[in-house]
Amino acid sequence: MVRIKKRFALGCFVLSNCFAQAQTPPDSIPPPPSKTEIELVYSHYIQEGNHSAVTGGEGTEKLMVYGPSFNLKNTRKKRTLTLNLGSDLITSASTDRIDFVMSSASKHDARNYVNAAYTLKSEKRGLSFTGGAGISMESDYLSLSQTLGIVKTDKHELRTLSASLQAFNDDLRWGRLNPDYYRPVKLVYPIELRKTEWFDEYRRQSYTLKMGWTQVVNKRNVVGIFPEFGLQKGLLSTPFHRIFFQDGEKAVEKLPDKRLKGLAAFKWNRFVGGRTIIKSTLSAYTDDWGIVSVSVENETAVKFSGLFTLVPHLRFYAQKASPYFAKKGLHTSDEPYFTSDFDLSKFHSYKAGMRLKYYPRNLHPRRWLVNGWNLDYALYFRSDGLSAHIFTLSFDLSFTKT
Amino acid sequence: MAILLGFCSLMASCTSLKPYEMVYVKDAEMQMGDEAGKKFENYVQSIREGAMPAASQKASGGCGCN
C-alpha cells in the first residue's frame, strides 16, 4: 500500500513537471507599465503698486496675469518624457504707459511657452541623464532654452547629487504678437524717446549652473544644499524703462551688459510626529550689480485623515539695493549706469499663504485616475508698497497602460 | 556659525536605513521638489526681486517687465 502511494506521488510529480511551464527567465520579465501623469494648472496673479519703471519709478504697477498650463510626464522602462506648455495672458497698466495711449495694444500681452525634456535612467549605476529644450514668446521677447542635467543616486537611495546647465538665447525685439507684423521688428522705446536709437544690441544670453546635494540624515530628516551660478550677457536693460534726471532730461534705463550671480540655499525637511512635516529653506544671493539678499521660508504640512493636507507657508526676504538704482529725478546723466526699477532697490518682502491638498487613497487601480488636487493662495507684500495676490489651482491625473 | 554647527551635528547622525524605516523620508511631502503653486510663486519672485530664487525653473526666458 505504501509502495502504491509512493508510485502515485512520483507519477503526479512527473506529470506535473510535464505540463508545468518553465519559470520566466529574468531577462524576459515583462516591462513595467507605461505611466502618464498629467497636471492641469491655472495660476492667477493680481498686483498693485505705484513704482512702475516704465514711468520712471512713479506710476501704477497694476497688473493681472491669467496663467493656464499643462504638464505631461510619460514614464516607460528607463526613459521619461516631460512636456510643459502654457500661456500667461497679461493685462498691464504700466506697459500701457509706453505710448501714453490708454487701453492701447500695449495694455495686453501674452507669454506662450513650450518646454520638453527627455530623461534616461540607468538603475545599475544610479544615474539619470536629462536633455531638454524650450521656447517662450512675448510681443517683445523671444527666448530659446536648452538644458542638460545629471543626477546620481546612491544604492541605498539616501543621497543624491545633481548638476544641470541651462542656456537661454533671448531676442528683445518687439512685434511678434502684433497683427501688423507677426515678426521681430525693433526694440520698443517710450514714445517720446524714439528719435534716439539707445541700444545697438538686442540679444541676451543667460547661462545657469545648478547643483544639488540631498542627504537622508535619519528616519525623519532630509537635508539639501543647492548652489547656483548665473551669467548674463547682452542687453540687460529694459528698453522702455524711463529715467528722469535731476536736470529734467529724460533717457531710457542703462545697465551693464554683463551680470554674474551666485546663490546658495539650504533646505531641511523634518517629519514630526505622525502627520506633520516642517520644511525650512534658508538662502543667500549676491551678484556683481551690488545686490545682496537673504530669504527664510517655512512650510508646515499637516495631514488630516489621510485625505487632506493643509500647508501654511511663510517667507521673508531682504535685499540691499544696487548702486545703479535711484528714485525718479535723482540720477544725473553723467553716471555710467542708471535705473529707477524698484525691483533693484533696497526693500524687504513678506509672503504668507495656505495650500490645501486633497489626495484620496485609490484602492481600486484604474487606467485613468484622478489622483487629487491642490489649491494655493499667497499674499505677497513688498516694503515699497507693492502687493500681490497669487492663486494656483492644479489637478493631477494619471493613465496607466498595462 | 550656529547653522554650521547644527548642520555638522545633523551630518554626524547620518545612518543607513532599512527599507521599512524609509516610510517617513519617502513621503511625498518630504521631497525637495516644488509643486505647481510654489513654482509659480518662485516665478513671480524671480521677477519682483533682484535675486533668483533657489531651484527656480526660470533664470531667464521671459521679460517680466510689467
Side-chain angles (χ1 to χ4, degrees):
Chain A
M1 190 64 187
V2 173
R3 186 175 290 171
I4 291 168
K5 276 186 180 174
K6 275 185 180 173
R7 281 181 181 175
F8 179 73
L10 187 65
C12 288
F13 176 72
V14 170
L15 202 64
S16 68
N17 271 292
C18 289
F19 289 97
Q21 287 185 329
Q23 254 192 344
T24 313
D27 58 353
S28 67
I29 290 170
S34 161
K35 188 177 182 186
T36 304
E37 294 161 78
I38 292 168
E39 189 179 34
L40 303 171
V41 185
Y42 176 73
S43 298
H44 196 87
Y45 179 74
I46 304 166
Q47 176 184 287
E48 292 278 355
N50 202 30
H51 286 136
S52 171
V54 177
T55 42
E58 285 180 14
T60 180
E61 290 176 279
K62 199 166 186 170
L63 171 71
M64 201 174 292
V65 180
Y66 310 85
S69 63
F70 171 85
N71 302 316
L72 184 143
K73 181 180 173 186
N74 176 264
T75 308
R76 187 174 180 86
K77 293 184 183 175
K78 295 172 182 175
R79 67 115 178 100
T80 303
L81 281 167
T82 56
L83 179 71
N84 158 237
L85 57 97
S87 188
D88 291 338
L89 307 167
I90 303 156
T91 306
S92 167
S94 63
T95 50
D96 199 28
R97 267 63 169 179
I98 295 171
D99 55 9
F100 291 119
V101 181
M102 301 305 162
S103 300
S104 61
S106 57
K107 186 178 180 181
H108 302 285
D109 203 353
R111 183 175 82 99
N112 304 308
Y113 55 92
V114 182
N115 297 294
Y118 181 86
T119 301
L120 198 61
K121 203 172 182 179
S122 165
E123 284 182 8
K124 277 185 186 171
R125 296 177 183 174
L127 285 169
S128 68
F129 303 92
T130 300
I135 181 169
S136 167
M137 189 190 288
E138 293 170 65
S139 63
D140 61 339
Y141 213 99
L142 176 75
S143 179
L144 302 172
S145 66
Q146 301 86 42
T147 306
L148 282 173
I150 183 169
V151 179
K152 165 78 178 162
T153 309
D154 80 320
K155 62 180 180 180
H156 303 296
E157 296 186 8
L158 298 175
R159 183 182 303 130
T160 63
L161 289 166
S162 61
S164 72
L165 186 64
Q166 292 179 317
F168 296 86
N169 291 291
D170 304 347
D171 182 335
L172 280 73
R173 288 176 296 174
W174 171 87
R176 288 181 187 83
L177 301 181
N178 187 289
D180 294 338
Y181 300 102
Y182 285 129
R183 63 186 170 82
V185 182
K186 58 188 174 182
L187 292 174
V188 62
Y189 301 118
I191 190 159
E192 73 279 20
L193 298 170
R194 288 180 188 171
K195 286 178 186 166
T196 306
E197 197 59 45
W198 297 90
F199 301 106
D200 301 327
E201 178 63 87
Y202 59 83
R203 294 186 185 280
R204 179 183 297 174
Q205 293 88 36
S206 306
Y207 307 95
T208 308
L209 174 65
K210 295 169 184 269
M211 289 172 287
W213 171 80
T214 67
Q215 173 73 52
V216 173
V217 179
N218 54 37
K219 284 190 282 187
R220 291 176 176 272
N221 288 284
V222 182
V223 294
I225 293 176
F226 302 89
E228 292 184 22
F229 301 96
L231 168 66
Q232 287 190 296
K233 291 193 301 183
L235 177 57
L236 304 185
S237 310
T238 302
F240 51 82
H241 282 180
R242 289 180 177 86
I243 295 294
F244 291 82
F245 293 118
Q246 284 179 10
D247 58 8
E249 289 295 308
K250 281 204 253 181
V252 300
E253 173 184 273
K254 190 178 174 195
L255 290 165
D257 56 6
K258 200 174 120 188
R259 190 177 185 186
L260 272 166
K261 305 172 175 184
L263 173 135
F266 172 68
K267 294 188 175 192
W268 179 8
N269 294 354
R270 176 170 172 75
F271 213 116
V272 184
R275 56 177 61 187
T276 306
I277 298 104
I278 299 172
K279 300 155 90 163
S280 308
T281 305
L282 175 70
S283 59
Y285 168 92
T286 185
D287 65 30
D288 62 354
W289 284 12
I291 303 251
V292 178
S293 76
V294 289
S295 73
V296 186
E297 187 163 10
N298 176 266
E299 297 184 6
T300 301
V302 184
K303 294 167 181 273
F304 292 99
S305 69
L307 300 174
F308 289 97
T309 305
L310 200 61
V311 191
H313 50 92
L314 283 167
R315 179 178 181 270
F316 174 75
Y317 172 90
Q319 156 178 320
K320 186 182 145 208
S322 165
Y324 310 138
F325 170 82
K327 290 180 183 175
K328 187 176 186 178
L330 296 182
H331 275 299
T332 55
S333 54
D334 58 346
E335 292 172 54
Y337 303 110
F338 31 78
T339 177
S340 293
D341 184 350
F342 273 69
D343 298 347
L344 302 177
S345 69
K346 180 186 177 182
F347 64 82
H348 53 268
S349 67
Y350 308 92
K351 189 183 75 180
M354 189 75 81
R355 191 176 305 133
L356 178 65
K357 305 165 86 167
Y358 176 69
Y359 280 80
R361 288 194 190 93
N362 293 297
L363 299 174
H364 305 289
R366 286 165 291 176
R367 295 185 80 183
W368 271 106
L369 205 61
V370 179
N371 294 320
W373 51 259
N374 295 282
L375 178 65
D376 196 338
Y377 167 75
L379 173 66
Y380 180 79
F381 178 76
R382 213 166 75 174
S383 57
D384 73 318
L386 182 137
S387 63
H389 301 277
I390 309 166
F391 303 90
T392 302
L393 176 64
S394 65
F395 292 93
D396 288 346
L397 303 105
S398 64
F399 176 73
T400 307
K401 194 176 177 184
T402 50
Chain B
M1 193 64 187
I3 293 165
L4 193 66
L5 282 171
F7 179 70
C8 290
S9 64
L10 264 175
M11 286 299 98
S13 67
C14 282
T15 52
S16 61
L17 299 180
K18 295 183 174 63
Y20 63 86
E21 293 178 313
M22 303 278 273
V23 61
Y24 292 123
V25 295
K26 289 282 185 187
D27 188 279
E29 287 294 337
M30 285 288 277
Q31 307 314 305
M32 293 278 176
D34 294 328
E35 292 133 340
K38 182 79 183 293
K39 282 178 188 167
F40 187 69
E41 287 164 21
N42 277 344
Y43 172 63
V44 169
Q45 285 153 207
S46 74
I47 293 166
R48 284 287 77 100
E49 295 170 352
M52 53 184 182
S56 69
Q57 297 293 306
K58 179 182 172 295
S60 180
C63 178
C65 43
N66 303 289

